[in-house]
Structure formats: C-alpha cells, structure tokens
C-alpha cells in the first residue's frame, strides 16, 4: 500500500525521506494529523515493561542508529498486542526524564503485527518509515533508489531529492533499527549500492553512456544476483557510477557523466577502474555497508596469490591487519596459499635484456 506523503523533511538540520509505504495505523494522536510528526515506536509484548526499559531503549537507539535523533523522542508510541496492558503509568513522563514527551498507547491485533522499534513519521494517523538523506558529495551514484514497498521489495523507484544547496543528489538509507540479523537474513538492514550494469526493476540502466540511456527504457526485472541479496535482507540504496560500458577510464576520459571523486588524499586522485563509483562511495561514506561491482576481464578464478615482499607487510599495523584478514579470506575462498617472492631477487635471476645489466631500482629510475 502506497498512500503516504513520499516527501522529505528537515529536522534540526538533518534531512529525512518519509517512505510512502504505510507500515501501521494509530488513532490516538493529538493535534493536526494532516501534518508530518516524527515519533518513536517502542514495540513490546511484555506487560511488565518498566519506565527504565523505555529509557534503555532510547539510549540504545542513539548508540546504534544514525537515523535516530532527539526529534523523534518528542512523541513515544508504545505499541502492544491487544489485551496486554502495561503495568505502568505511561503518562507520568516527568518521573523518568523524557523531557515531557507525549506518549501514545497503540494496540495491534497480534504480536506478529508489532512494528520494529525505532524512528517513524505519522501522517493522517498512518505510520511511515523514516529514512535519512545523505548528500552524494563524491558524485559516486548514478541514481538514488528506494524500494517501492519498503526494504525487501524487488521493484524500485528513483529518488529525485537534492541537498539543501540544490547541488547534489541525496541517498536515502533506512533506520538500522528496522532490521534484525538472523541465520536466514545475515544481511538484514545492510545498505548496499550496486554497479550500474545490474538491473533494478523500475530503474534505468545507463552503463554510464548517454546514448545507451536514451535508447532503453527502465528495466522491468531485477537481476537475480540482486534478488539473492534482497532475500538475505540487504537494502539497495542506489546504483553506483561506472566507467562507460565498464571499460577502465581516466577522469579526463569521462564525457557523458561526471567521474566520481576519490575520497583519498586531496580528493583529486584517479579513482581508477570500472567500478569507480562503488569504490569511491564505500571508501568515503560511513553510512554505506557494501558496494557490489564486477570484473569484466575475469574468465576464471585465479589459482595463485603473489605476495611481493618489497610491498608487504606495510608499516601501518592497522592497515596490515586489514590486508591480512582480506588475504586469509581470499586464501580460503580460492583454496590456495600466498606465494611470497622478491621482485628484486627475481630481477637479478632473470633480468630482461632491455635492462642492459641495470638493477631493478636503477632501471626504474629510483
């Protein structure tokens, strides 16, 4: 059901997207219900919920979620199954330091219909999810998207919202409180971008090429690989830029679309390779969890991992730990072990004729 406002709202300088999919209904709100109201839903089937339990939940929200803010704590919706009346006076808020928040007791027909606790917006007595809007400052995304019926849907709509300066597109991300990881859903709530050569139903695939974009309509189906990720609980938030037709390009070669900016160094280094937007966004945005790319050249999995001793280990211990973790994962996946070797020793054993007897360092001009 899609009957919400599908709009953006600014709360104390933070921009939010109100997802139009209706998630619940409550008839107990005071005031003008034709206006958007930020609220906090706390769902429980525990009759013995205490005031301290509520305070602890709010503390957890602030610690775990980048979407949640104090603005949502002005109205607390305690959602319970019909017939379970909490054994506390919910309306004596002054006693537990919630800044005189307005409390609403909202009943649902069963525990299965309880909403995930977290931030929401209400409109005409309907309850809608709150998604935070982040500006794409690196110009890494081709298209921002939102699922048409909230997370898990395999059909999407383009999100056409700019930042407050009107210069950059915004990417919407759902509250991390909405999803709970499980064995069946290990990616529950994970925010993912996909390269713009993966199909998303309802969204155009541009291949970062203007002629291709104009020639083909929006896709009618979502790629099977993306459906698999959705089935595991992932949330696709946008399509990341790629070099035209996935052919590696330097920034000066980008003609039809702006090349993403590299977040490293001074911000003007070459972001490199075809999955440019995916790499830039994952490196530069703490609110993004994964970015899906492709390697168009690979026809088969490699069988060896070459580990040049001139480059590893690196001096930064934290950097080396990340590298070690990655290499161990790669070794397990490929069922092989790294081969340590020395470029200098290899050069000395079989130098190319063009070197004319020079050492590797002399030949390279170092």
């Amino acid at each position: 059901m899609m009957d919400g406002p599908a709009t953006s709202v600014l709360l104390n300088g933070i921009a939010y997207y109100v997802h139009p999919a209706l998630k619940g209904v409550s008839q107990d709100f005071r005031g003008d219900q034709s206006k958007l109201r930020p609220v906090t839903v706390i769902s429980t089937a525990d009759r013995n919920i205490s005031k301290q339990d509520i305070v602890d939940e709010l503390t957890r929200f602030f610690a775990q979620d980048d979407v949640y803010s104090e603005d949502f704590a002005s109205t607390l919706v305690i959602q319970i199954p019909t017939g379970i009346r909490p054994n506390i006076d919910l309306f004596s808020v002054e006693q537990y330091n919630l800044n005189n928040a307005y409390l609403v007791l909202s009943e649902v027909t069963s525990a299965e219909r309880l909403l995930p606790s977290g931030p929401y917006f209400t409109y005409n007595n309907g309850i809608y999810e709150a998604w935070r809007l982040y500006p794409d400052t690196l110009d890494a995304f081709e298209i921002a998207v939102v699922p048409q019926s909230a997370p898990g849907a395999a059909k999407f709509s383009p999100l056409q919202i700019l930042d407050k300066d009107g210069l950059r597109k915004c990417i919407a991300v759902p509250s991390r409180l909405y999803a709970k990881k499980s064995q069946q859903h290990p990616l529950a709530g994970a925010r993912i971008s996909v390269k713009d050569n993966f199909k998303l139903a309802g969204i155009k695939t541009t291949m970062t090429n203007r002629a291709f974009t104009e020639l083909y309509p929006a896709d009618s189906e979502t790629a099977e690989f993306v459906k698999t990720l959705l089935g595991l609980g992932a949330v696709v938030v946008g399509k990341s830029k790629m070099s035209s037709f996935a052919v590696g390009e330097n920034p000066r070669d980008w003609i039809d679309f702006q090349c993403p900016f590299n977040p490293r160094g001074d911000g003007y280094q070459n972001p490199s390779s075809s999955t440019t937007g995916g790499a830039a966004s994952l490196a530069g945005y703490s609110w993004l969890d994964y970015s899906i790319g492709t390697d168009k050249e690979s026809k088969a999995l490699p069988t060896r991992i070459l580990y040049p001793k001139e480059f590893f280990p690196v001096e930064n211990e934290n950097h080396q730990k990340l590298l070690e973790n990655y290499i161990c994962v790669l070794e397990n996946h490929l069922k092989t072990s790294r081969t340590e070797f020395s470029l200098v020793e290899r050069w000395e054993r079989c130098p190319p004729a063009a070197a004319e007897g020079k050492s590797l360092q002399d030949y390279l001009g170092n």
Side-chain angles (χ1 to χ4, degrees):
M1 184 175 182
M2 305 280 288
D3 64 352
T7 189
S8 61
V9 61
L10 203 63
L11 300 178
N12 281 327
I14 299 177
Y16 295 91
Y17 172 71
V18 184
H19 197 288
L22 181 67
K23 304 303 293 184
V25 175
S26 180
Q27 303 294 335
D28 301 313
F29 296 110
R30 65 184 178 186
D32 186 358
Q33 287 306 300
S34 65
K35 296 181 179 180
L36 283 171
R37 179 204 301 266
V39 305
T40 297
V41 171
I42 297 179
S43 295
T44 181
D46 183 6
R47 184 187 305 275
N48 296 315
I49 182 175
S50 68
K51 297 172 183 178
Q52 187 58 49
D53 291 334
I54 297 175
V55 174
D56 291 343
E57 275 289 81
L58 296 180
T59 302
R60 180 176 70 87
F61 295 170
F62 281 113
Q64 296 182 0
D65 191 27
D66 58 334
V67 176
Y68 194 77
S69 68
E70 291 184 359
D71 296 281
F72 292 96
S74 61
T75 299
L76 305 183
V77 180
I78 311 299
Q79 195 173 72
I80 58 173
T82 300
I84 298 180
R85 189 80 183 182
N87 296 324
I88 61 172
D89 180 6
L90 291 174
F91 299 96
S92 57
V93 296
E94 300 83 2
Q95 299 180 24
Y96 57 109
N97 190 29
L98 288 179
N99 298 322
N100 294 320
Y102 174 58
L103 275 80
V104 175
L105 192 62
S106 179
E107 294 186 353
V108 294
T109 55
S110 66
E112 289 72 25
R113 298 182 66 86
L114 289 171
L115 291 176
S117 297
Y120 293 85
F121 285 96
T122 62
Y123 175 75
N124 284 341
N125 292 316
I127 302 176
Y128 303 89
E129 288 184 347
W131 292 45
R132 183 166 177 173
L133 292 169
Y134 284 101
D136 181 20
T137 55
L138 297 171
D139 212 359
F141 283 83
E142 197 71 79
I143 306 171
V145 306
V146 289
Q148 290 191 2
S149 58
K155 192 166 185 178
F156 300 83
S157 296
L159 183 67
Q160 301 176 6
I161 297 178
L162 299 179
D163 67 1
K164 61 182 180 179
D165 297 322
L167 299 175
R168 305 176 183 90
K169 67 175 69 69
C170 287
I171 311 299
V173 299
S175 168
R176 295 192 181 278
L177 302 171
Y178 297 153
K180 186 176 182 180
K181 291 183 179 180
S182 65
Q183 187 173 0
Q184 293 74 26
H185 300 101
L187 294 178
R191 302 160 179 175
I192 292 180
S193 69
V194 298
K195 190 173 180 177
D196 195 22
N197 55 0
F198 285 94
K199 291 184 177 182
L200 296 179
I203 305 297
K204 277 200 169 191
T205 295
T206 76
M207 300 292 286
T208 314
N209 181 275
R210 187 171 57 181
F212 186 93
T213 303
E214 294 174 353
L215 184 61
Y216 295 101
D219 291 311
S220 58
E221 295 185 358
T222 294
E224 289 299 320
F225 178 71
V226 177
K227 286 182 181 179
T228 299
L229 296 176
L230 295 174
L232 295 173
V235 181
V236 175
V237 300
K239 302 187 80 173
S240 61
K241 288 183 176 179
M242 53 184 272
S243 55
S244 184
F245 292 109
V247 177
E249 296 176 311
N250 291 314
R252 62 181 177 274
D253 298 324
W254 285 60
I255 302 300
D256 291 349
F257 295 86
Q258 168 68 47
C259 178
F261 291 93
N262 187 337
R264 305 302 191 195
D266 64 356
Y268 288 94
Q269 298 183 49
N270 185 354
S272 182
S273 301
S274 66
T275 313
T276 307
S281 60
L282 195 60
Y285 298 148
S286 61
W287 44 265
L288 187 67
D289 299 315
Y290 302 99
S291 190
I292 307 304
T294 59
D295 182 0
K296 70 179 183 67
E297 300 296 337
S298 294
K299 300 298 187 297
L301 290 176
T303 58
R304 299 180 67 190
I305 302 172
L306 299 180
Y307 189 89
K309 292 187 288 186
E310 283 81 9
F311 294 96
F312 304 104
V314 297
E315 293 183 3
N316 187 295
E317 292 184 2
N318 291 330
H319 188 186
Q320 183 61 29
K321 287 180 181 178
L322 289 174
L323 289 170
E324 280 297 320
N325 288 338
Y326 171 74
I327 293 172
C328 288
V329 169
L330 195 60
E331 289 175 327
N332 290 332
H333 179 65
L334 298 177
K335 295 181 174 55
T336 187
S337 299
R338 77 193 77 179
T339 299
E340 295 189 4
F341 75 103
S342 169
L343 291 170
V344 172
E345 293 173 1
R346 179 69 177 174
W347 182 279
E348 291 176 348
R349 287 199 304 270
C350 49
E356 298 179 345
K358 294 180 180 179
S359 68
L360 176 61
Q361 286 185 331
D362 290 340
Y363 183 74
L364 296 177
N366 294 326

